Amino acid sequence: MENVHLAVEEEDLYSGYNDYNPTFDSEELENDVGFQQAVRTSHGRRPPMTAKIPGTAIGARPLATSFGVSTTTRNSYQDNYERFDGAARPMTAVRAAGYTSSMTRGSTFDPLGQSRGPAAPLEAKNEDTPEEKIKILEKKVNELIEESCMAQSTGSLQLKRSILPPLLAKEAGRKERTLVRHREKSGNGDHINLDLTYSVLLNLANQYANNEMFPEALNSYQVIVRNKMFSNAGRLKVNMANIYVRQKSYPKAIKFYRMALDQISNAHKEMRIKIMQNIGVVFVRMGQYSDAITSFEHIMSESPNVKTGFNLILCYYAIGDRERMKKAFQKLISVPLGVDDEDKYIPSSDESDSELVIEAIKNDKLHQMERDLKVLAEKYIMTAAKLIAPAIETSFATGFDWCVDMVKSSQYVELANDLEINKAISYLRQKDFNQAVETLKTFEKKDSRVKSAAATNLSFLYFLEKDYEQADRYADLAMTADRYNPAALINKGNTVFIKQDHEKAAEFYKEALRNDSSCTEALYNLGLTYKRLNRLEEALDCFLKLHAILRNSAQVMYQLTTLYELLEDPQQAIEWLIQVLSVTHTDPRALAKLGELYDGEGDKSQALQYYYESFRYFPSNMDVIEWLGAYYIETHFCEKAIQYFERATLIQPAQVKWQLMVASCYRRSGNYQKALETYKDIHRRFPENVECLRFLVRLCTDMGLKDVQEYATKLKKAEKMKEIREQRVKAGREGSARSRREGREGSAGESVVTIATEVPLWLECGKHAGHGNTKGERLSAKMRSLPGSNEPYEANSPKEIDASYVDPLGPQTERPKTGAKKRVEGDDFADEELGDDLLPE
């Protein structure tokens, strides 16, 4: 301890640590009654404050050290213990953490109060308050707006797209008005949610416009635009102008576009450019090309794009300005697309990480957008070149060459070859096949892709010209240049199909489908090949797949009709043919085919309907005319059948059967006088027709006319001539057969003799018929002048015979009409089929 004091004297900073203080003697605390009492009474009573420190609000306290309480505090504890000896000490404001006044020896330590059990549940939210009602209504309005937008954008049914979105938008508007009333009732009218009101009105207007409810949409937009509380509402005049464009109210559309343009600042450059582009398009629709050119030229000077450049070329083409067309085309091919090079998609090192990144971005949305933009630009350039090529120069070829040169010097170098091929196709449209072939032949020494395309077109050209050898050669050349070209494989299959090698053709079509599964030409040709091979089920499968791709193709559905007919399923054939007519309503062949199918099913009424429709659209189809005439004869409406057979007589005047049918209809309907006149007219045009003479004889006999003997004589002559003609034909057939046999057995010189022997046969027949008299000679001469049995009768070929009779005693008294024989019901004469035994001798 002496050393410590010495250190204090020497101002040692660490002195006093070894000093002993009896206050810290804790060994006798258990026997200290005062201390134990103080512990039980929560520290006892504190001594009163004796003095205050100037400038402070609290009194001065005896300082205590960090090791315990001061001596004064301990003495005050002793005084308190003596004052409240044996009595409970009152509670004080000071309470030790974790202890209570009721703690006794053996109590557990629980400072967090976990032994008291779970906390009481939270108080439920009161939804009856105005604030909560407002929040619930706002939530419902937002949900209705969202549902309306989703129903419009992702609706799968037409009903859902057209009805549900406006209904949801209207419901959102009603909820929003209810919300405003609640705010006003609760005294919060100044805190109206303008953004929510704007969203409701805008959504309602958009849904009206999407569903072509244009007056309602315009009214909703007007409500927004006229409300000065909505900022930037003037932009919605663009939407109103779009509606006027759809209504073809172009002056109003331009007015609102310009009003919107005035309310948009120059900071929104892109939006102003789009509005000006719309103004230019509307001027084009109005035919005001000068105003449209002004708008498009301003856009091309401020922010050029391929769409505006193409529209500018169209306007120059419309006014016929050649030089400005050239300048606009040069501007079009110099428009920057903002698309990066394809080199960034090629791995630059062997690192696997870079390859993974490139593989990930190769087909992402950005790259797809870049490809679409490039394809669109190429489409505009190709279309513009084909449009202006004949107009910018004196000849089509010179103009196309200028366009090709311009494209070669631009960023679209690869389009030059495509333009050359389009040049050849343009020659084809102008029916200049030689120039097209020469143009395509220039590609034989170029790269494989262009070479394959040119060879494919050449193969198709030669196939159309039926030069199948050249078509096959160029198809092979196209396949050699590019084996994965489906068009080349189809051309090769077509040339093999023409050679009747259907199995091999099917293989080429299948290979084309393996290279391009969406190649509809290959699938169609494969179905036709299976149909030719009588593999009907496989052909049906091909055409059903094709129908799934081409839903409205009448050719595909007609092929399905024929296949089901071959498979003896007429009901399916009828259903598919009805679908054909839903696409092509006025196809006379399809209508006649449907009538034929119904006729096969025994449904005459439906067959009559479709045959009649076919006759209305194409009144020259002989099969339809014949069916309609036969139907009315079968149903005993001969008067209606006459008009169809008269139509057939006009179409085929050299065919006697149609005129005989007309006369037969008059006879069956009881108009014997008209039938007699018709038969006489037929006889004047076809004097040797046996059937006409037979009916004339029968009619004259029944009507008691004197001409019956004349017609009977002519009938006998005609029958004999018919018999002689048949003998001649038979003899000619035997002679030709004998000559063929002798030609196979003998030399070639004998065939000449065989041909020469036909003349004695003609003469021998004539002598035998006439027995050497003059009548027989006249008959043989007449017979030689007749046409062959297979030749059609011509109206001007035979000499007309004057069958009129002039009585030297004057005209005969007119025979009374009542003298005609009354037609007997059920007469055998009513039957058209008359046997030879019923005819007069």
Side-chain angles (χ1 to χ4, degrees):
M1 295 300 293
E2 293 176 357
N3 294 330
V4 174
H5 290 294
L6 289 174
V8 172
E9 292 176 358
E10 296 176 359
E11 296 182 357
D12 187 3
L13 296 176
Y14 301 98
S15 60
Y17 284 100
N18 293 326
D19 293 342
Y20 174 74
N21 192 337
T23 306
F24 304 115
D25 187 6
S26 59
E27 294 181 357
E28 299 296 331
L29 289 178
E30 293 182 0
N31 299 324
D32 191 344
V33 179
F35 180 76
Q36 292 296 333
Q37 184 66 25
V39 169
R40 286 192 297 268
T41 58
S42 184
H43 304 292
R45 182 184 179 192
R46 296 192 177 190
M49 295 182 183
T50 56
K52 291 185 179 181
I53 300 175
T56 63
I58 59 173
R61 296 180 182 177
L63 296 178
T65 64
S66 60
F67 299 99
V69 297
S70 63
T71 307
T72 307
T73 303
R74 189 172 58 178
N75 293 334
S76 65
Y77 285 162
Q78 187 67 31
D79 295 339
N80 290 332
Y81 297 153
E82 294 174 355
R83 185 178 304 171
F84 297 101
D85 187 18
R89 180 181 178 276
M91 295 295 293
T92 63
V94 180
R95 180 178 176 184
Y99 291 90
T100 61
S101 60
S102 60
M103 286 184 62
T104 58
R105 189 180 296 273
S107 299
T108 57
F109 181 74
D110 187 13
L112 301 179
Q114 296 178 354
S115 61
R116 291 178 294 180
L122 296 176
E123 185 178 357
K125 191 178 293 185
N126 188 6
E127 296 182 357
D128 294 335
T129 60
E131 292 79 6
E132 291 298 327
K133 288 183 179 180
I134 290 172
K135 289 182 180 179
I136 292 172
L137 284 174
E138 284 186 351
K139 185 177 180 182
K140 288 183 179 179
V141 171
N142 287 319
E143 289 177 354
L144 287 171
I145 293 174
E146 184 177 355
E147 289 179 11
S148 176
C149 296
M150 293 299 294
Q152 179 66 35
S153 60
T154 62
S156 58
L157 300 176
Q158 185 68 25
L159 180 65
K160 188 175 182 180
R161 286 199 300 268
S162 60
I163 296 178
L164 185 58
L167 292 179
L168 292 173
K170 288 182 179 179
E171 183 65 23
R174 286 193 290 268
K175 293 288 185 183
E176 194 272 337
R177 288 192 293 272
T178 305
L179 173 62
V180 172
R181 287 196 295 269
H182 271 286
R183 288 185 182 275
E184 292 176 352
K185 288 181 180 180
S186 61
N188 296 326
D190 297 335
H191 302 286
I192 295 176
N193 191 346
L194 291 177
D195 293 337
L196 186 62
T197 305
Y198 182 84
S199 301
V200 169
L201 293 175
L202 180 60
N203 178 59
L204 182 60
N206 289 338
Q207 299 303 339
Y208 280 142
N210 291 333
N211 291 275
E212 298 183 358
M213 302 168 68
F214 298 131
E216 293 85 352
L218 289 173
N219 291 335
S220 300
Y221 282 127
Q222 287 285 3
V223 171
I224 302 174
V225 171
R226 291 175 180 176
N227 195 335
K228 302 300 183 181
M229 299 177 67
F230 297 139
S231 60
N232 299 323
R235 298 183 181 182
L236 296 181
K237 292 182 180 178
V238 176
N239 295 13
M240 299 175 70
N242 292 338
I243 292 176
Y244 284 124
V245 170
R246 296 173 69 178
Q247 291 180 331
K248 297 184 179 181
S249 300
Y250 299 128
K252 286 186 177 180
I254 293 176
K255 174 184 176 182
F256 275 85
Y257 278 135
R258 287 176 171 171
M259 290 170 63
L261 194 65
D262 294 338
Q263 295 184 7
I264 296 175
S265 63
N266 294 327
H268 302 87
K269 181 180 178 181
E270 186 175 354
M271 178 173 262
R272 291 179 62 87
I273 291 295
K274 290 181 178 179
I275 294 175
M276 292 189 67
Q277 188 171 353
N278 288 358
I279 293 174
V281 171
V282 174
F283 275 130
V284 170
R285 294 190 179 184
M286 295 174 66
Q288 300 180 12
Y289 300 109
S290 302
D291 297 328
I293 288 172
T294 303
S295 298
F296 291 144
E297 285 180 344
H298 177 75
I299 296 172
M300 291 299 290
S301 62
E302 294 291 331
S303 177
N305 58 81
V306 291
K307 189 174 182 180
T308 305
F310 180 73
N311 290 338
L312 185 59
I313 291 175
L314 293 180
C315 293
Y316 287 144
Y317 179 82
I319 64 176
D321 194 335
R322 294 185 178 183
E323 295 300 324
R324 297 171 81 178
M325 270 191 277
K326 289 183 178 181
K327 293 180 180 179
F329 185 77
Q330 292 174 348
K331 288 182 180 180
L332 177 63
I333 60 178
S334 62
V335 171
L337 295 179
V339 178
D340 295 334
D341 297 332
E342 294 290 333
D343 297 338
K344 68 179 181 180
Y345 299 106
I346 301 175
S348 58
S349 62
D350 297 334
E351 297 180 2
S352 58
D353 294 341
S354 63
E355 292 180 0
L356 291 174
V357 171
I358 291 172
E359 188 68 25
I361 67 174
K362 187 178 293 185
N363 291 317
D364 61 353
K365 296 293 184 180
L366 179 60
H367 193 202
Q368 291 177 8
M369 186 188 69
E370 291 177 349
R371 283 200 301 263
D372 295 341
L373 182 60
K374 192 172 181 180
V375 169
L376 182 64
E378 292 176 355
K379 176 185 176 182
Y380 283 140
I381 292 172
M382 293 285 290
T383 307
K386 290 187 289 185
L387 178 68
I388 68 173
I392 58 177
E393 297 292 344
T394 56
S395 66
F396 161 77
T398 309
F400 228 110
D401 291 338
W402 181 87
C403 293
V404 170
D405 293 338
M406 290 295 103
V407 170
K408 285 182 179 179
S409 61
S410 68
Q411 56 182 331
Y412 304 97
V413 182
E414 63 276 5
L415 283 182
N417 294 324
D418 295 335
L419 280 174
E420 289 283 356
I421 293 178
N422 275 279
K423 178 182 176 182
I425 296 174
S426 300
Y427 278 128
L428 288 179
R429 291 195 178 100
Q430 297 176 0
K431 308 299 182 182
D432 194 349
F433 293 98
N434 295 328
Q435 284 291 337
V437 171
E438 292 298 326
T439 304
L440 291 173
K441 284 183 178 180
T442 58
F443 291 95
E444 293 186 9
K445 296 181 180 180
K446 296 194 176 182
D447 63 308
S448 59
R449 185 185 67 85
V450 181
K451 182 178 179 180
S452 177
T456 301
N457 290 329
L458 282 171
S459 175
F460 180 68
L461 283 178
Y462 284 119
F463 187 85
L464 293 178
E465 293 180 349
K466 297 184 179 181
D467 189 352
Y468 300 123
E469 295 298 329
Q470 288 290 335
D472 189 42
R473 185 173 75 85
Y474 278 102
D476 290 333
L477 182 62
M479 290 170 57
T480 304
D482 185 6
R483 184 70 185 186
Y484 297 99
N485 185 359
L489 292 167
I490 292 172
N491 286 344
K492 180 64 177 178
N494 292 343
T495 57
V496 176
F497 186 92
I498 291 296
K499 297 176 182 178
Q500 305 297 322
D501 192 354
H502 300 127
E503 292 287 349
K504 192 172 181 181
E507 292 299 324
F508 282 111
Y509 296 142
K510 289 179 182 178
E511 186 176 354
L513 284 172
R514 286 194 294 269
N515 294 338
D516 184 6
S517 59
S518 62
C519 185
T520 55
E521 294 86 356
L523 192 58
Y524 187 89
N525 291 354
L526 182 62
L528 292 179
T529 306
Y530 283 143
K531 183 179 177 182
R532 187 65 63 88
L533 292 171
N534 203 25
R535 294 157 63 176
L536 302 180
E537 293 293 341
E538 297 180 28
L540 184 64
D541 184 56
C542 290
F543 284 113
L544 286 174
K545 290 179 180 177
L546 193 59
H547 177 67
I549 301 173
L550 305 174
R551 303 295 298 181
N552 296 323
S553 175
Q555 293 181 351
V556 175
M557 290 187 282
Y558 192 82
Q559 290 295 334
L560 287 169
T561 301
T562 57
L563 285 172
Y564 277 115
E565 187 180 7
L566 293 174
L567 290 170
E568 298 180 356
D569 191 352
Q571 293 298 327
Q572 286 289 336
I574 288 173
E575 290 181 7
W576 281 105
L577 201 53
I578 290 174
Q579 292 190 37
V580 173
L581 291 175
S582 67
V583 178
T584 56
H585 309 283
T586 60
D587 188 349
R589 184 176 178 183
L591 290 166
K593 185 67 177 178
L594 188 55
E596 179 185 347
L597 290 173
Y598 276 118
D599 187 26
E601 290 294 297
D603 193 347
K604 294 290 185 180
S605 60
Q606 288 287 346
L608 174 63
Q609 176 185 350
Y610 287 108
Y611 270 121
Y612 181 72
E613 289 295 319
S614 177
F615 176 77
R616 280 200 318 117
Y617 291 119
F618 184 58
S620 300
N621 190 337
M622 297 304 300
D623 295 332
V624 175
I625 292 173
E626 186 174 4
W627 190 92
L628 288 171
Y631 172 80
Y632 284 116
I633 289 177
E634 183 182 353
T635 54
H636 305 290
F637 290 101
C638 300
E639 297 86 353
K640 291 186 177 181
I642 292 174
Q643 60 176 332
Y644 296 106
F645 292 130
E646 287 178 346
R647 172 79 64 173
T649 303
L650 295 175
I651 297 172
Q652 294 180 349
Q655 293 290 335
V656 68
K657 67 175 183 178
W658 304 119
Q659 302 180 41
L660 289 173
M661 294 298 293
V662 172
S664 177
C665 290
Y666 282 125
R667 179 175 56 82
R668 284 173 177 247
S669 61
N671 193 349
Y672 297 111
Q673 189 65 32
K674 190 68 175 177
L676 181 62
E677 293 176 1
T678 305
Y679 279 125
K680 287 182 178 181
D681 184 65
I682 296 171
H683 178 65
R684 281 193 295 269
R685 299 182 63 188
F686 305 98
E688 289 82 17
N689 188 269
V690 177
E691 297 295 329
C692 179
L693 289 170
R694 287 176 182 173
F695 284 113
L696 278 172
V697 171
R698 184 61 182 271
L699 275 175
C700 291
T701 303
D702 291 343
M703 298 175 68
L705 300 179
K706 295 181 180 181
D707 298 335
V708 61
Q709 189 61 36
E710 179 184 355
Y711 290 124
T713 304
K714 291 181 179 180
L715 177 61
K716 289 181 180 180
K717 291 180 181 180
E719 287 177 343
K720 289 181 180 180
M721 291 172 64
K722 182 179 179 181
E723 183 180 356
I724 292 171
R725 190 159 47 244
E726 290 176 354
Q727 291 178 1
R728 177 174 60 87
V729 172
K730 184 177 180 181
R733 289 177 180 174
E734 292 177 355
S736 61
R738 185 169 61 252
S739 65
R740 285 195 296 270
R741 287 197 302 271
E742 292 175 357
R744 287 193 297 267
E745 297 174 358
S747 62
E750 296 177 356
S751 61
V752 179
V753 178
T754 304
I755 296 173
T757 58
E758 293 184 4
V759 177
L761 290 175
W762 278 81
L763 297 176
E764 184 179 359
C765 294
K767 292 178 181 179
H768 177 71
H771 300 286
N773 54 13
T774 57
K775 185 177 179 180
E777 292 175 359
R778 288 197 304 270
L779 183 60
S780 63
K782 183 76 174 177
M783 182 181 60
R784 287 194 295 271
S785 66
L786 290 175
S789 59
N790 295 327
E791 298 177 9
Y793 287 103
E794 296 292 340
N796 56 358
S797 59
K799 184 178 179 181
E800 293 187 0
I801 299 174
D802 187 7
S804 61
Y805 173 74
V806 180
D807 192 348
L809 299 178
Q812 187 179 4
T813 306
E814 185 178 0
R815 181 174 178 272
K817 295 182 180 180
T818 58
K821 184 179 178 180
K822 185 179 180 181
R823 184 180 178 186
V824 182
E825 188 72 15
D827 189 5
D828 294 337
F829 182 65
D831 190 3
E832 185 182 354
E833 300 295 335
L834 296 176
D836 294 339
D837 55 340
L838 299 177
L839 295 174
E841 294 295 335

